[in-house]
Amino acid sequence: MLKLAQKDILRADQFSREEIDLIMETARGFEHELDGEKALETMRGKILSTLFFEPSTRTRLSFEAAMLRLGGEVISVAEAKSSSAAKGESLYDTIKTVEGYADVIVLRHPRIGAAAEAAAATNKPVLNAGDGAGQHPTQSLLDFYTIEKEQGKVEGLTVTLAGDLKHGRTVHSLADLLASYNVHFVFASPRALRMPTEIVEKLKARGVSVAETENLAEAVAASDVLYMTRIQGERFDDPSEYDRLKNAYILTRAMLARAKEGMTVMHPLPRVNEIATEVDSYPGAAYFRQAANGIPVRMALLALVTERA
Ligand code: CP
């Protein structure tokens, strides 16, 4: 149980398969205990600090709910303007201050690499809750948990990542995490929003099977798992380019007529227009179950990283 003790969670490619197994097994155990409505004491006396310098609903609230479910306490900065960052305080000084208040820190920040900077500033475990267009490793772990739960396995699946693959940190992390497994990737995006070349090249160098397409309908027909993502308006320099691309892919019920039986539809959320609400009643539409899986997976992460080394 000591594999992740006092470790930072910064990138999805930091995990061995053994560590992923440990997180999944621990999360399944917590989910079972929650089903039994058992009050847990695992984190009694410990404090989580959530520092969110970009908006969030799921990640912040599920980390905080996970800590409360474990019997711990939470102190939170929910937006940059309510912290001393608004007065010009550096991230380093913020982290050096918060390490005196909390046992574990969850950080979301608009700058790629900010979580690594925070981790370098403190010996307390830092969990990256999204660093700009970089990584979102705890999301990819709950995505992995969801795929296993919905499909009964990960190995051998065709997984399509669709939408804004250029800016989407969830898809960057999920690609990294699944690269250790025998999956076939289809990357479906408008040309301007392709998966960054360095990620595609890194996957291919590891022998991972990758196909790229602009045709969402074709990708849907080939998939076991279809992972839709939002076009990330906040990451575009040119608003007219966002307007051109924002409705490029919209998954409709009609498109699912060509899907394999049992295909799982996922989305990290929030969605804007990319999945029509008529898809919500499709049995494989797993995105709200996926969001709920954030609780046991983040409980597992909090419990594991706060173990004594
Ligand atoms: N999936 C995700 O990161 O959602 P939030 O931005 O609401 O945290």
Side-chain angles (χ1 to χ4, degrees), residues 52 54-62 108 129-130 136 139 142-143 169-170 227 230 267-270 290 298:
F52 277 66
E54 267 193 344
S56 170
T57 297
R58 279 144 291 273
T59 311
R60 187 171 68 83
L61 295 184
S62 64
R108 173 168 288 186
H136 195 348
Q139 175 73 43
L142 77 88
D143 294 340
R169 57 195 175 201
T170 63
Y227 191 102
R230 177 176 66 90
H267 191 307
L269 304 177
Q290 179 185 357
R298 290 179 168 131

Side-chain angles (χ1 to χ4, degrees), residues 143-158:
D143 294 340
F144 187 99
Y145 187 82
T146 302
I147 293 171
E148 270 199 329
K149 223 172 144 182
E150 298 286 329
Q151 289 283 327
K153 62 178 185 179
V154 171
E155 297 279 359
L157 298 178
T158 294

Side-chain angles (χ1 to χ4, degrees), residues 221-234:
S223 302
D224 298 300
V225 174
L226 173 64
Y227 191 102
M228 297 293 296
T229 61
R230 177 176 66 90
I231 308 296
Q232 310 234 321
E234 68 275 28

